[in-house]
């Protein structure tokens, strides 16, 4: 206790008979960017809604800044900014009016609205009606709404959804900035491992409501060891040769042999070995495990 | 209290550019304007009837009150209850609203009070404009005798009754609009309820006062001024009004419990 911005203890949540979140024990350290990874329907958004007390959790299972959420709802919400699913925007109001409305609700200065608009690059569209905004602009406005109260903890549910490459990079840099320069804690959900890898310091992987992995990004890297895929003729003989030479053949299909990647030099040696023994290597490439395979790996080892 | 106040301010800020808000101002303006235009164009015929001043006022204000009490008022209330909730349903902003550091009661009560406020504004303007346009007619057509009687007490009494009698419908429709995000359910239930209410009130069913939708009709009926009686002799706090207020408070409390239990999906 004490070091976590978010801590859930064996959290369970059901919609009727359907269990959405099972025995979830999140531990989000203060000042971290916590990548919350999982495929669609894994329970990410439900978890975020529980963290905002939009969905009621059983008592003594969710703690934010060491306080139990159900009995400290308002005090906790004061310290959180959130973007959940689609940004919550009033279409008939302009971008600026949406932010001013938020200022009214939070009791903060209305000048903050302009500040936020320039931060997310919407200053020029400030007086345009929000329902005329593109998906990316709405997403930026949603991020501005989450940031406007200068919260200590940010919950961002797929914040790069609908953004173009430039926008994605901006959001990424903004998150890193907020965490490193302003000591914010950020929980960011995504279904893309590559997206999370670039920003997160910590990762939690959830599937079907269960947390399959939790740890630092380096710990995750150890799990998702890169592989070397070799396309070669006469697969059977080639793989026998490799095994004889002490290589570990992870998988073997009709066309491809997969071995753990060690280094570029080792890959070259392996290539030479195969060619010297009369095999034709048509391609040789390094492959990172994608999220699905990683899931399988993690579930298998459990 | 502060949370309730800022929630109310926010309700106004959000709605000030919507039809729901402007309807509260335009509806009385248009209806009173039309009635006054009718009186102005038919001034000769009306003057030929030689109404005593009180009856002239009764005819004139009754035109607006009658149409309001029977038909427009229930639908207007249904529409207000719908629109204050629909602004959140339509934009999918309930989750944002309930993720703010404000207690849920303030958010809920502010919406409810704002709907009441819009109805109040509408009826207040009806009373004010009836009075003002009556005097304007007097200036335009000096042969009228509007200036010989002050209808203020009747207007205030009648519109206060209509306002109080409509709170029952408001609370019921408010819950329906809170629960369902679509247009058809609250409007459909409201429409059927209103028709039923009007029929029940008009056939003089003994228990019509138990149907919230009957109450404005029942309330406005008592307001009608009979010849030769004192127009101020009608009581404001009648059975209909009490029923309406009881409905309003009970449903308001039930609505709050629905909000606290409501999971924002």
């Amino acid at each position: 206790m004490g070091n976590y911005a978010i801590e859930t203890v064996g959290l369970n949540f059901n919609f009727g008979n359907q269990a959405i979140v099972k025995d979830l024990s999140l531990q989000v350290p203060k000042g971290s960017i916590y990548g919350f990874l999982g495929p669609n329907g894994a329970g990410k958004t439900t978890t975020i809604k529980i963290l905002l007390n939009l969905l009621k959790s059983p008592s003594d299972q969710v703690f934010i800044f060491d306080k139990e959420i159900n009995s400290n709802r308002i005090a906790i919400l004061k310290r959180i900014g959130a973007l959940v699913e689609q940004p919550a925007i009033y279409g008939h109001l302009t971008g600026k009016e949406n932010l001013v409305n938020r200022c009214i609700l939070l009791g903060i200065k209305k000048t903050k609205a302009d500040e936020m608009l320039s931060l997310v690059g919407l200053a020029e569209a400030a007086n345009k009606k929000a329902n005329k905004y593109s998906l990316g602009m709405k997403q930026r406005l949603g991020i501005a709404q989450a940031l406007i109260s200068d919260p200590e903890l940010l919950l961002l549910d797929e914040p790069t959804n609908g953004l173009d490459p430039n926008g994605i990079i901006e959001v990424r840099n903004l998150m890193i900035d907020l965490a490193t320069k302003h000591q914010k804690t950020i929980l960011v959900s995504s279904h893309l491992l590559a997206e999370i890898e670039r920003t997160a310091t910590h990762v939690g992987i959830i599937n079907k409501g269960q947390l399959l992995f939790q740890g630092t990004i380096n710990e995750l890297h150890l799990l998702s060891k890169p592989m070397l895929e070799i396309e070669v003729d006469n697969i059977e003989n080639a793989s026998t040769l490799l095994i004889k030479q002490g290589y570990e053949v992870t998988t073997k299909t009709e066309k491809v042999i997969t071995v753990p990647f060690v280094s570029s030099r080792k890959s070259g040696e392996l290539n030479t070995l195969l060619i010297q023994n009369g095999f034709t290597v048509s391609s040789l490439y390094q492959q990172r495990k994608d999220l699905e395979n990683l899931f399988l790996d993690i579930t298998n080892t459990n | 209290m502060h949370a309730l106040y800022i929630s109310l301010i926010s309700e106004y800020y959000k709605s000030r550019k919507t039809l729901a808000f402007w309807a509260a101002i335009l509806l009385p303006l248009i209806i009173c304007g039309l009635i006054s235009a009718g009186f102005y164009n038919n001034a000769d015929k009306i003057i030929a009837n030689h109404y005593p001043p009180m009856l002239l006022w009764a005819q004139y204000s009754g035109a607006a009150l009658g149409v309001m009490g029977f038909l427009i008022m229930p639908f207007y209330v249904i529409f207000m209850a719908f629109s204050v909730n629909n602004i959140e349903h339509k934009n999918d902003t309930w989750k944002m609203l309930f993720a703010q550091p404000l207690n849920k009661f303030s958010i809920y009560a502010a919406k409810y009070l704002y709907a009441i406020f819009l109805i109040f504004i509408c009826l207040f303007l009806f009373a004010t404009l009836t009075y003002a346009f009556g005097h304007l007619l007097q200036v335009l057509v000096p042969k009228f005798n509007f200036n010989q009687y002050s209808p203020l007490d009747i207007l205030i009494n009648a519109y206060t009754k209509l306002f109080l009698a409509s709170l029952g419908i408001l609370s019921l429709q408010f819950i329906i609009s809170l629960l369902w995000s679509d247009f058809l359910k609250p409007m459909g239930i409201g429409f059927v309820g209103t028709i039923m209410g009007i029929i029940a009130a008009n056939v003089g069913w003994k228990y019509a006062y138990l149907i919230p939708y009957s109450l404005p009709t029942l309330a406005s009926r008592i307001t009608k001024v009979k010849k030769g009686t004192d127009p101020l002799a009608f009581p404001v706090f009648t059975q209909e009004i009490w029923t309406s207020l009881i409905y309003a408070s009970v449903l308001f409390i039930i609505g709050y419990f629905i909000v606290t239990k409501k999971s924002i999906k």
Side-chain angles (χ1 to χ4, degrees):
Chain A
M1 291 291 251
N3 290 324
Y4 297 121
I6 302 171
E7 186 172 28
T8 67
V9 185
L11 173 66
N12 284 293
F13 188 83
N14 307 323
F15 277 138
N17 291 328
Q18 201 190 350
I20 306 291
V21 173
K22 288 175 239 166
D23 198 27
L24 185 74
S25 294
L26 284 182
Q27 293 179 329
V28 179
K30 280 180 190 160
S32 67
I33 301 182
Y34 187 99
F36 195 34
L37 265 173
N40 294 329
K44 299 188 298 285
T45 301
T46 303
T47 307
I48 289 178
K49 285 185 176 177
I50 291 170
L51 297 177
L52 286 168
N53 204 230
L54 290 173
L55 299 172
K56 228 172 160 131
S57 55
S59 58
D60 288 330
Q61 292 191 351
V62 178
F63 298 86
I64 293 179
F65 297 118
D66 297 331
K67 286 182 186 152
E68 204 280 329
I69 193 161
N70 291 309
S71 41
N72 297 284
R73 179 177 166 269
I74 293 177
I76 286 173
L77 289 179
K78 273 187 186 161
R79 301 166 75 177
I80 302 185
L83 169 67
V84 190
E85 292 173 315
Q86 320 310 316
I89 290 167
Y90 296 101
H92 65 285
L93 300 179
T94 65
K96 187 176 172 180
E97 285 169 336
N98 268 289
L99 290 175
V100 168
N101 180 51
R102 190 63 73 92
C103 291
I104 294 174
L105 286 173
L106 293 165
I108 51 182
K109 276 187 198 152
K110 288 176 189 169
T111 47
K112 198 88 176 136
D114 288 317
E115 218 176 285
M116 284 299 127
L117 284 167
S118 15
L119 180 74
V120 296
L122 284 175
E124 278 174 29
N127 295 318
K128 196 169 157 184
K129 278 198 178 178
N131 57 15
K132 299 270 192 309
Y133 276 17
S134 69
L135 191 59
M137 291 163 88
K138 284 183 185 169
Q139 201 71 15
R140 286 157 192 263
L141 188 58
I143 293 171
Q145 284 185 326
L147 289 172
I148 201 164
S149 64
D150 199 18
E152 291 161 68
L153 173 63
L154 271 169
L155 306 179
L156 303 175
D157 190 8
E158 314 229 348
T160 51
N161 228 352
L163 293 182
D164 53 23
N166 261 332
I168 292 177
I169 293 167
E170 279 170 27
V171 169
R172 220 181 266 158
N173 292 340
L174 183 64
M175 284 197 290
I176 295 171
D177 225 47
L178 287 168
T180 53
K181 290 191 192 146
H182 303 277
Q183 285 79 46
K184 312 275 184 207
T185 307
I186 304 173
L187 181 135
V188 52
S189 81
S190 176
H191 58 269
L192 302 170
L193 179 62
E195 180 61 44
I196 292 297
E197 269 186 308
R198 288 166 200 251
T199 46
T201 56
H202 292 71
V203 180
I205 296 177
I206 185 175
N207 191 25
K208 292 180 185 154
Q210 280 176 310
L211 198 62
L212 302 180
F213 170 85
Q214 181 167 245
T216 64
I217 194 81
N218 291 333
E219 284 167 335
L220 180 74
H221 277 167
L222 291 178
L223 274 179
S224 73
K225 277 185 196 137
M227 304 305 268
L228 188 69
E229 298 200 342
I230 310 152
E231 276 181 38
V232 63
D233 64 341
N234 204 347
I235 288 269
E236 288 300 326
N237 294 343
S239 104
T240 319
L241 171 75
L242 288 178
I243 292 168
K244 238 184 225 170
Q245 294 291 323
Y247 286 96
E248 179 198 339
V249 174
T250 320
T251 54
K252 186 180 71 183
T253 64
E254 277 178 27
K255 276 186 178 168
V256 179
I257 296 175
T258 313
V259 300
F261 173 84
V262 186
S263 65
S264 304
R265 205 178 134 191
K266 283 275 174 201
S267 305
E269 286 172 15
L270 194 145
N271 190 23
T272 315
L273 174 77
L274 285 169
I275 290 166
Q276 279 173 351
N277 284 279
F279 294 100
T280 308
V281 178
S282 48
S283 85
L284 188 93
Y285 47 89
Q286 187 190 340
Q287 183 81 309
R288 279 225 160 193
K289 277 186 200 171
D290 58 18
L291 188 55
E292 260 170 65
N293 284 328
L294 196 62
F295 278 147
L296 287 175
D297 255 28
I298 297 167
T299 34
N300 286 341
T301 52
N302 282 357
Chain B
M1 268 320 276
H2 183 66
L4 181 65
Y5 171 72
I6 57 178
S7 300
L8 264 171
I9 300 285
S10 165
E11 285 302 321
Y12 164 71
Y13 188 81
K14 281 186 286 197
S15 74
R16 73 202 150 83
K17 284 185 181 174
T18 61
L19 181 66
F21 178 75
W22 284 100
I25 293 161
L26 291 176
L27 187 72
L29 203 64
I30 291 170
I31 292 184
C32 290
L34 284 174
I35 292 169
S36 304
F39 266 65
Y40 180 74
N41 286 325
N42 297 312
D44 296 340
K45 277 189 219 159
I46 294 162
I47 290 165
N49 285 335
H50 296 295
Y51 288 123
M54 188 185 89
L55 213 58
L56 180 67
W57 271 110
Q59 285 277 337
Y60 173 68
S61 56
L65 263 173
V67 78
M68 271 307 279
F70 277 101
L71 211 61
I72 297 177
M73 193 60 204
F75 283 114
Y76 176 73
V77 170
I78 290 165
F79 179 62
M80 285 302 122
F82 167 77
S83 59
V84 287
N85 287 301
N86 185 55
I87 197 169
E88 313 298 343
H89 287 309
K90 188 175 69 185
N91 296 304
D92 194 15
T93 37
W94 283 114
K95 59 184 184 203
M96 175 286 270
L97 208 52
F98 284 108
Q100 298 309 308
L102 301 166
N103 61 59
K104 291 180 181 176
F105 179 77
S106 298
I107 298 169
Y108 167 72
K111 285 215 164 286
Y112 185 84
L113 288 177
Y114 190 65
I116 291 184
F117 169 73
L118 286 176
I119 292 166
F120 176 81
I121 290 287
C122 177
L123 292 180
F124 177 78
L125 281 177
F126 258 109
T128 314
L129 290 177
T130 304
Y131 185 77
F133 284 2
H135 285 282
L136 181 68
L137 279 172
Q138 183 64 48
V139 174
L140 294 174
V141 185
K143 279 185 187 165
F144 275 134
N145 48 12
F146 280 112
N147 54 352
Q148 291 164 34
Y149 181 81
S150 170
L152 269 182
D153 289 338
I154 302 183
L155 285 175
I156 291 168
N157 273 10
Y159 278 105
T160 305
K161 281 196 73 158
L162 199 54
F163 173 64
L164 295 175
S166 61
L167 295 183
I169 304 182
L170 176 72
S171 300
L172 183 58
Q173 287 292 140
F174 194 84
I175 289 184
I176 296 171
S177 302
L178 189 69
L179 284 175
W180 287 301
S181 58
D182 63 337
F183 181 76
L184 278 176
K185 282 194 196 85
M187 288 297 166
I189 294 170
F191 188 77
V192 172
T194 304
I195 302 295
M196 263 173 49
I198 292 172
I199 293 171
N202 282 340
V203 298
W205 186 43
K206 206 164 63 167
Y207 298 108
Y209 73 92
L210 291 176
I211 307 172
Y213 299 96
S214 300
L215 299 174
T217 311
L218 287 172
S220 63
R221 178 179 306 161
I222 298 163
T223 309
K224 278 187 184 162
V225 183
K226 293 181 192 105
K227 250 183 199 168
T229 55
D230 179 1
L232 294 177
F234 68 88
V236 171
F237 284 94
T238 53
Q239 192 183 34
E240 300 81 46
I241 303 301
W242 284 117
T243 320
S244 172
L245 291 178
I246 290 166
Y247 265 120
S249 25
V250 170
L251 292 170
F252 175 74
I253 293 163
I254 293 174
Y256 173 61
F257 281 103
I258 293 175
V259 165
T260 53
K261 296 277 171 272
K262 191 178 159 105
S263 274
I264 315 287
K265 285 184 187 167

